Amino acid sequence: MFYCAGSLRQLTFRYKIAHIEQNVIFARMKKLYIETYGCQMNFADSEVVASILKDLYTLTDDVQEADLILINTCSIRDKAEQRIHKRLHELEALKKKHRTLQVGLLGCMAERMKEELLETEPILNFIAGPDAYRNLPELIAESAQGEAKFNVLLSEDETYDNIMPVRYDLNGVSAYVSIMRGCNNFCTYCVVPYTRGRERSRSPQTIMAEVDQLLQDGYKEVTLLGQNVNSYRWEEDGEVVTFAKLMEMVALKSSQLRVRFATSHPKDISDELLEVIAKYENICKYIHLPVQSGSDNMLKKMNRVYTRDYYMERVRKIKELMPDCAISTDIIAGFCGETLEDHEQTLSVMREVGYEYAYMFKYSERGGTMSAKRFQDDIPDEEKTRRLEEIIALQGELSLASNQRDVGKTFRVLVEGVSKRSADQLYGRNSQNKVIIFPKGEHQVGDYIDVTVTRCTAATLFAD
């Protein structure tokens, strides 16, 4: 099973992987169970891991029958790490029952905590950082001999660009394509540069080959992924491919292929990129533009390298070129030294932009980051909670107002699946990334259909 719970949305995926192990007398299938926590990047990484292990294991959706359990982790917030510790403790009884069961920890938490995890979590046989997945077969084999192993070396060039991910999505319609890894921004609150290393981009040739394969397999939508996706840059033989150029290349593959991207940094939302998004109908009119705070004091302390005025200028440019473009964001409540005035400035930037959606969190100090070293986490938790509740309440109003403006409008929707509420209803997203529920009729998953919105909640549009 892949379980993704992250900054953009929560997804659950269940899989089957296998290993045909033969000798002269018998053949036995070995089975792998994967749980993925965090953002889309982690889910994409799990698909890479599945590809690396596909000749050794076959996936199972039943943890009880697994020979190997992999937990792909996130370290963005303390709550995410606590969930992993809890899950490992839950698996202890299963490991006692199945003595040959191996359990491995992958991802950012493995990279951040290293040897400490092997000491505090005896259930683990091995841990592997985000750049060590090619070595998983060796780690698995060595740890099976009884000694816990780890490999958390960061790489300056690993992009897994020659590995075609094994797709384990539920609908066969939407897929993620990682175009780069790492981050150079060093926001003071963030562990990513320390857990995923410095920024490096995949070659456009391998990216386009992956997109070609997805088209051949019938996919209708791709999301280009990177920690700071719009800083993508590839230079070879004097030719430069920017993110804007790459987006155009993907969009031109097929007018029936929707193109999305995540996650962008405000400093890299160039006019060139916005003009490309506006130019092509099949590039979705939705931009996730994390602001984190509306206060210049906080933005400087966070090392976000832009001001509120610069951010708002980018928002105005987006709306000038694409009046129908939806904008979502990330917001941190209660960062170190945040005053009530700083908090009010965050609320005011929310009102000024009118975000369609926001991912909102209390500040969570992460060991090893610059904010943990330089600043005091001095906002009491109850005050962080109060400020966060104000942010959430305001965003609820903004989301509802945005959805109410869509009532009566007609949108083209890519059908993604059957509604959880009724087998007679389908759901899909429009170009603005809004979920729309509508009657099933004769439509099927993967169809493009036009629907007219009749009513809404703050989270969902309902249509005919």
Side-chain angles (χ1 to χ4, degrees), residues 430-441:
N430 62 8
S431 179
Q432 291 73 24
N433 205 40
K434 292 186 178 184
V435 174
I436 304 181
I437 307 293
F438 46 90
K440 184 175 183 179

Side-chain angles (χ1 to χ4, degrees), residues 175-235:
Y176 299 125
V177 176
S178 293
I179 67 169
M180 61 187 301
R181 299 181 72 82
C183 183
N184 290 347
N185 291 323
F186 289 92
C187 301
T188 58
Y189 53 80
C190 186
V191 298
V192 168
Y194 310 101
T195 60
R196 287 187 171 267
R198 302 303 294 271
E199 220 170 70
R200 62 268 190 202
S201 299
R202 281 179 64 184
S203 73
Q205 292 81 10
T206 62
I207 294 169
M208 299 311 291
E210 190 170 333
V211 172
D212 284 338
Q213 185 62 55
L214 289 168
L215 280 168
Q216 291 177 29
D217 292 340
Y219 285 83
K220 298 289 187 69
E221 180 179 88
V222 296
T223 301
L224 306 183
L225 294 180
Q227 298 297 148
N228 181 17
V229 70
N230 47 346
S231 65
Y232 174 90
R233 180 182 174 88
W234 181 267
E235 187 168 358

Side-chain angles (χ1 to χ4, degrees), residues 341-377:
E341 182 181 355
D342 294 326
H343 171 62
E344 288 297 329
Q345 288 179 21
T346 296
L347 296 177
S348 71
V349 84
M350 292 174 67
R351 295 187 187 98
E352 191 171 346
V353 176
Y355 296 111
E356 271 69 25
Y357 191 79
Y359 302 92
M360 303 155 284
F361 312 98
K362 292 187 292 186
Y363 171 63
S364 174
E365 184 177 270
R366 318 309 294 129
T369 60
M370 295 311 326
S371 61
K373 295 175 182 178
R374 295 179 180 177
F375 309 131
Q376 183 179 355
D377 184 9

Side-chain angles (χ1 to χ4, degrees), residues 9 15 148 171 189 191 223 248 289 308 321 378 413 439 444:
R9 61 179 178 175
Y15 306 93
N171 59 25
Y189 53 80
V191 298
T223 301
E248 184 172 47
L289 197 64
R308 175 183 175 133
L321 292 175
D378 54 357
V413 172
Q444 298 180 348

